[in-house]
Amino acid sequence: MDALPETLAPSPPAGGWLIETRDLSRHYPSGEGVVKALDGVDTTIAPGEFVAAMGPSGSGKSTFLNLIGCLDQPTRGTYRLAGEDVSRLPPDRLAELRGRKIGFVFQSFHLLPRSDALTNVAMPLMYRGVPRRIRRDRAVMALERVGLGQRIHHTPSQLSGGQQQRVAIARALATGPELLLADEPTGALDSRTGLEIMALFQALNRAGVSILCVTHDADVAAFAGRTLRFRDGKLFEDTRYPPVDAAAMLGVPFA
Amino acid sequence: MNELSPAKAAPAPATEALPQPLPPLPPARSGLSLGEAAFAALSALAANKLRAALTSLGIFIGVAAVIVTVAVGAGARQQVLSQIQSLGANLLLVWGANVRLGGVSLGAGQRPNMSWDDAQAIPREIPSVEVAAGTIRQQMQVVNGNQNWSTWVNGTDPAWFVAHEWQVAEGRFFTEEEAAGGRKVVLIGQTVAENLFGDENPVGREVRVRATPFEVIGVLGRKGQNPMGQDQDDVVVMPYWTARRSVMGASRAFARAVGSISVKVHEGESMADVEEQLRQFFRQRHRVAANEPDTVNIRNLSEIAATRDASARTLSLLLAAVAAVSLLVGGIGVMNIMLVSVTERTREIGLRLAVGARRRDILRQFLLEAVLLALLGGAAGVLVGIGLAHGMSAWGGWPVLIQWDAVGLAVAVSGLTGLFFGYWPARRAAKLDPIVALRHE
Ligand SMILES: Nc1ncnc2c1ncn2[C@@H]1O[C@H](COP(=O)(O)OP(=O)(O)O)[C@@H](O)[C@H]1O
Ligand SMILES: [Mg+2]
């Protein structure tokens, strides 16, 4: 907390922090010494925030996102997700947390290439033991909400990059997560398609989904309301600002 | 279901296709169900049908081979058993011993021979014996007009038909009166009937044996080959006393001699006990001194059956070894392709882990894939194996017998092979670190 002004660490909201890290660190042993991929990060994120994580390549953004997403465990420090300490849990408990609370969006989409959009979106629900019929209904609903209601039977190869990323977002939404985590979601897209994805994120955020989005692009970070800057594994800047409206930049409301 | 229609419940949607989050799911009931895992595994297999087919080929061939060979083995064994049955069940055959002392044959004449009276006495003296039939046999020419045929002519007792379980195909057996009266009647076997009479009915016709005319009163039912490969239907049977008086004249000393005695033991009695009783019976009757060898040899035909049974079992053991090797090879094939599949699908596994799959869900999915792969090979092997066995029976004339317990066992073993050889690849998949797996190229 030493480097941060008091104003950037406001008192907890009524429902408590969604994310609360204390001395969060991830060190990798490397030859003689250690690689401090992430080192002593103290931060809090309230429910409903849209936060960007920025920094040069190798600064620890993805490591931070993976820890927040319960894909990884810290080597030091604590992490509370919605009040629950999840710093030291067995792998299957972490998997359950990911399935219940977190939705992932990746730079390279990570869709099952031979399966259609519906199957891709319904897939996470399988691991929640949701019956087939309800899985289908929910997947259709999720695809409608990202504007792909007409393309539920298209396979990834029949969809554009932006459409594939929307399928991935629908997949992240299908389980009804509290937190959407995106690692360079626009990295593989042209700028206009990237803008559309950010407009979608903003709309979802306005409807209540908390978002943490890793990017190295300041234009993308401008759509969030807050940016965490990383350098050499340390969080060195935390700024809040009024976000740019992506839909307005597109010239049309999101459709 | 109401939590699934939040679009209606959501406050004032601005547009139709609203980028809204979905409502939270009700609390997790349980993880991946077995049925879902099986479906996912089947889909994965269906995505690469040719590879699945080629992989399960080893197990397919192994199982098909096992089913065919077991069916052929069982068929052959059943044939041998029915041949042995055709000799007569619970049958002991008593032969005069070929006695040698100091390498010099004493000759039959110097030792007491078995007689007709011995045969008659056996059922009276040994209660476990059902019937005993004294028989003499010689190879002779049998003539019908200009057809003649060399065959074994047996002179025996009506009890012989009982002991050897003969049936009549045409006509009848001879009676006790005909036997006692030395009437010139014969029954002929199927082979003799075919060679002397062709398609005609021999019953009521006349044959000549050593120039003596005989009336054919019956044709014996077909028995086929015995386990030693001899044709049991190449036979003529007449009453003992007829043979003695009309065709097999003998010196006074041999007037009542018989060459063999067929002894049928009552069902359920110990063959070994009766064998011993017979030995003692002949030692007493022939007044054999304690230091002298037996005057008779006794052969138990069911012992031959047991020997055959044992050799069939050895064959089965050999086949089991062959099956084990082919299943091992097939299993290694499954393991190999599953390892390839895990490597190919590393990113997919990473994704599944990221969206909430537990390690045991991944393990279950890949394990089921291996088991299904092996079971599909096994099931195809069963179908083709049964088809081949029927084909061999229908077109090749092989005696086959489908062994359903072997079929069940083959399927079970192929499933277990998949489980065993699929475990290691599945564990590798389940142990993947999601971050590393997602980054995999
Ligand atoms: N598994 C690992 N083993 C060793 N070093 C790692 C590992 N993962 C990440 N690192 C190191 O940690 C640092 C931060 O990585 P990362 O979080 O991926 O950076 P960013 O996403 O900001 O580009 C880098 O120097 C990287 O080389
Ligand atoms: Mg990164």
Side-chain angles (χ1 to χ4, degrees):
Chain A
M1 294 299 289
D2 41 315
L4 293 177
E6 198 57 37
T7 51
L8 292 182
S11 55
W17 299 114
L18 176 62
I19 290 165
E20 188 179 4
T21 72
R22 206 148 290 282
D23 192 28
L24 191 69
S25 305
R26 180 64 167 103
H27 295 178
Y28 291 104
S30 150
E32 296 296 287
V34 290
V35 174
K36 297 183 175 179
L38 200 71
D39 198 35
V41 171
D42 293 295
T43 192
T44 51
I45 296 175
E49 277 195 89
F50 185 174
V51 180
M54 285 197 68
S57 182
S59 58
K61 309 181 293 289
S62 296
T63 303
F64 179 64
L65 188 96
N66 290 337
L67 285 169
I68 297 304
C70 300
L71 280 171
D72 201 0
Q73 294 259 271
T75 42
R76 203 180 67 214
T78 56
Y79 166 36
R80 292 178 167 274
L81 175 62
E84 182 187 1
D85 187 353
V86 295
S87 327
R88 269 138 205 103
L89 290 177
D92 281 0
R93 272 286 295 136
L94 289 174
E96 275 167 39
L97 275 173
R98 294 193 294 268
R100 267 194 292 128
K101 302 211 159 145
I102 293 157
F104 284 99
V105 177
F106 307 96
Q107 177 175 0
S108 53
F109 321 139
H110 277 300
L111 298 176
L112 304 179
R114 269 183 282 266
S115 305
D116 63 10
L118 191 67
T119 310
N120 266 288
V121 174
M123 190 266 279
L125 297 170
M126 201 167 84
Y127 297 104
R128 288 279 298 273
V130 178
R132 178 168 297 271
R133 279 276 301 285
I134 299 176
R135 280 209 309 262
R136 202 199 121 89
D137 291 349
R138 255 185 104 92
V140 169
M141 216 187 303
L143 280 164
E144 279 168 356
R145 293 184 182 194
V146 299
L148 287 177
Q150 306 302 312
R151 289 189 168 75
I152 61 171
H153 291 305
H154 286 48
T155 58
S157 62
Q158 297 167 324
L159 295 168
S160 71
Q163 287 170 333
Q164 289 184 54
Q165 193 59 301
R166 287 192 205 193
V167 173
I169 294 168
R171 179 182 63 202
L173 294 178
T175 51
E178 295 165 45
L179 179 60
L180 203 62
L181 298 178
D183 196 344
E184 311 262 13
T186 61
L189 304 173
D190 63 69
S191 57
R192 184 175 170 85
T193 313
L195 202 55
E196 285 172 8
I197 295 300
M198 293 320 288
L200 180 54
F201 274 10
Q202 284 189 330
L204 287 168
N205 179 244
R206 276 195 287 273
V209 185
S210 312
I211 300 175
L212 175 62
C213 176
V214 165
T215 180
H216 59 260
D217 185 346
D219 292 343
V220 170
F223 301 117
R226 177 182 173 193
T227 295
L228 303 175
R229 286 182 189 276
F230 291 86
R231 189 189 288 160
D232 298 332
K234 291 195 191 298
L235 175 62
F236 81 99
E237 193 181 79
D238 185 346
T239 51
R240 290 161 194 278
Y241 45 87
V244 176
D245 186 357
M249 274 187 74
L250 277 169
V252 286
F254 178 79
Chain B
M1 288 293 284
N2 49 347
E3 76 274 8
L4 291 173
S5 47
K8 292 152 202 152
T15 57
E16 287 290 69
L18 192 67
Q20 281 259 334
L22 269 69
L25 273 168
R29 184 172 51 87
S30 64
L32 184 72
S33 73
L34 206 64
E36 296 290 356
F39 185 80
L42 269 180
S43 317
L45 289 178
N48 222 327
K49 291 191 192 69
L50 182 66
R51 184 155 96 182
L54 290 175
T55 303
S56 55
L57 208 60
I59 288 175
F60 162 78
I61 291 171
V63 168
V66 168
I67 286 175
V68 169
T69 44
V70 167
V72 169
R77 191 167 142 194
Q78 195 201 35
Q79 196 182 44
V80 167
L81 287 177
S82 74
Q83 280 172 350
I84 287 164
Q85 203 74 40
S86 79
L87 289 172
N90 304 325
L91 187 63
L92 293 171
L93 281 183
V94 187
W95 306 84
N98 184 13
V99 180
R100 285 170 177 274
L101 276 180
V104 180
S105 172
L106 296 179
Q110 285 162 285
R111 304 260 311 171
N113 269 297
M114 297 193 300
S115 74
W116 174 257
D117 308 297
D118 293 338
Q120 298 297 307
I122 289 169
R124 287 198 306 270
E125 304 270 318
I126 306 173
S128 303
V129 170
E130 187 178 333
V131 291
T135 305
I136 42 170
R137 75 188 318 219
Q138 259 185 44
Q139 191 134 33
M140 291 181 200
Q141 293 283 326
V142 182
V143 183
N144 167 39
N146 58 2
Q147 303 287 319
N148 68 72
W149 185 250
S150 174
T151 185
W152 285 102
V153 174
N154 290 268
T156 189
D157 188 276
W160 189 79
F161 298 113
V162 177
H164 291 269
E165 294 177 17
W166 281 101
Q167 309 288 324
V168 281
E170 307 270 356
R172 58 179 179 84
F173 293 128
F174 50 78
T175 61
E176 292 286 353
E177 291 73 40
E178 285 170 325
R183 297 283 301 275
K184 297 192 179 78
V185 292
V186 291
L187 286 97
I188 60 178
Q190 293 280 342
T191 304
V192 177
E194 280 155 23
N195 282 287
L196 293 184
F197 292 96
D199 293 335
E200 297 166 45
N201 183 359
V203 177
R205 303 281 295 273
E206 191 186 272
V207 291
R208 288 172 176 271
V209 184
R210 290 231 167 118
T212 309
F214 283 81
E215 186 197 345
V216 179
I217 60 166
V219 178
L220 294 166
R222 188 179 294 280
K223 278 199 174 196
Q225 292 189 345
N226 70 9
M228 288 71 82
Q230 291 158 342
D231 180 6
Q232 300 180 85
D233 299 315
D234 192 1
V235 69
V236 167
V237 189
M238 61 179 67
Y240 175 82
W241 293 112
T242 310
R244 269 280 166 254
R245 283 167 202 161
S246 307
V247 295
M248 301 181 200
S251 63
R252 186 172 286 270
F254 291 104
R256 302 179 79 82
V258 293
S260 66
I261 300 175
S262 308
V263 178
K264 186 178 174 66
V265 179
H266 275 298
E267 189 66 48
E269 299 287 347
S270 158
M271 298 290 280
D273 285 358
V274 176
E275 206 175 313
E276 187 50 36
Q277 286 171 32
L278 277 171
R279 209 178 300 284
Q280 294 309 324
F281 169 86
F282 280 106
R283 288 189 81 87
Q284 277 182 11
R285 249 179 119 83
H286 293 167
R287 298 192 177 80
V288 180
N291 58 349
E292 280 182 69
D294 284 335
T295 52
V296 294
N297 275 333
I298 303 170
R299 285 178 67 193
N300 180 350
L301 288 178
S302 57
E303 264 170 18
I304 304 173
T307 316
R308 284 303 184 111
D309 205 39
S311 64
R313 216 166 286 148
T314 312
L315 191 71
S316 301
L317 219 66
L318 204 71
L319 292 176
V322 170
V325 168
S326 55
L327 281 171
L328 183 77
V329 171
I332 291 169
V334 167
M335 180 154 77
N336 175 49
I337 218 69
M338 288 309 295
L339 283 172
V340 170
S341 176
V342 168
T343 305
E344 279 179 352
R345 286 154 68 193
T346 298
R347 274 162 68 90
E348 177 193 324
I349 295 162
L351 172 73
R352 290 179 186 273
L353 288 167
V355 301
R358 294 163 306 176
R359 305 207 150 177
R360 58 169 176 270
D361 295 329
I362 300 292
L363 184 82
R364 183 177 268 195
Q365 249 176 288
F366 278 85
L367 209 49
L368 266 171
E369 199 173 315
V371 170
L372 284 173
L373 194 59
L375 276 180
L376 288 176
V382 165
L383 290 180
V384 170
I386 289 176
L388 271 177
H390 280 307
M392 287 171 77
S393 158
W395 295 299
W398 289 64
V400 304
L401 191 67
I402 301 292
Q403 298 290 86
W404 290 105
D405 46 356
V407 170
L409 196 70
V411 172
V413 166
S414 58
L416 285 176
T417 304
L419 199 66
F420 183 81
F421 288 97
Y423 184 74
W424 190 51
R427 223 174 74 108
R428 256 173 81 138
K431 286 250 162 124
L432 282 172
D433 176 347
I435 299 171
V436 174
L438 279 167
R439 243 193 260 127
H440 185 89
E441 283 313 316

